[in-house]
Amino acid sequence: MSLSNAPALPEMTFDHTGFITPDIEASVRFWEDVMGFEAQPIGERRKEWISHFMGVPGAQVRLVHLYGHGSHIEFIAFETPEDTPATSRASQGNVAHICLRTADVDALRARILAGGGAEQGQMVAIDEGIAKGLRGLYMKDPHGVLIEIVEHSKG
């Protein structure tokens, strides 16, 4: 691949990260009640353009945008076509995660567990990289979306 004949990079901004969910109402409950995001009303996309836009023949979806903590996430539930939910593993290619910094990593871990989430990894002291000297771990929401939680920097 060569960029020598490609157009110049146009101006752009980062808008959001999206995840596919098998249960949009449950995702909204978790991310609002447990994680403190604020959901916009759940919308529907049923016209033909969504199939072409997403590259999924016959797509009919429900979606929601959630705002909070200086970020914006989206969850999409496919009504058609039906598919089998996959279990994400941190080692899989094309599996994303959300990273949240917190003043109290133990309290956030406990809140995620109490709200129906689970641990993906275990709490560790990070001893290299940009988070050296902090603690954190990977967790997951009730549908397997990976959540990295790390303490705020102490300086």
Side-chain angles (χ1 to χ4, degrees):
M1 180 175 81
S2 172
L3 292 176
S4 61
N5 294 329
L9 186 64
E11 181 182 328
M12 63 182 148
T13 59
F14 184 87
D15 189 75
H16 67 273
T17 299
F19 297 92
I20 307 304
T21 180
D23 184 337
I24 202 162
E25 285 83 8
S27 290
V28 167
R29 276 192 307 276
F30 178 84
W31 287 92
E32 277 192 322
D33 298 347
V34 178
M35 303 303 291
F37 282 77
E38 184 178 329
Q40 299 298 304
I42 295 172
E44 297 179 350
R45 305 292 183 268
R46 300 186 180 286
K47 293 184 178 178
E48 189 175 337
W49 73 268
I50 195 69
S51 294
H52 298 294
F53 183 79
M54 298 182 89
V56 179
Q60 293 189 3
V61 301
R62 297 174 68 220
L63 55 86
V64 64
H65 293 266
L66 297 101
Y67 296 86
H69 314 293
S71 190
H72 169 196
I73 56 178
E74 174 186 42
F75 285 90
I76 300 170
F78 278 82
E79 293 188 339
T80 61
E82 290 188 35
D83 208 340
T84 304
T87 302
S88 299
R89 295 185 317 272
S91 60
Q92 282 178 306
N94 296 323
V95 170
H97 70 274
I98 293 173
C99 180
L100 299 168
R101 293 283 184 122
T102 178
D104 191 339
V105 72
D106 295 306
L108 185 53
R109 176 190 161 276
R111 185 172 179 82
I112 291 170
L113 291 172
E119 290 182 327
Q120 168 69 34
Q122 55 188 302
M123 187 74 70
V124 298
I126 302 165
D127 64 4
E128 64 181 336
I130 64 171
K132 183 177 181 178
L134 305 177
R135 294 180 315 128
L137 77 156
Y138 267 48
M139 301 191 74
K140 52 189 170 182
D141 82 353
H143 295 115
V145 172
L146 295 172
I147 308 165
E148 176 184 358
I149 59 173
V150 178
E151 291 175 313
H152 283 302
S153 180
K154 295 175 179 148

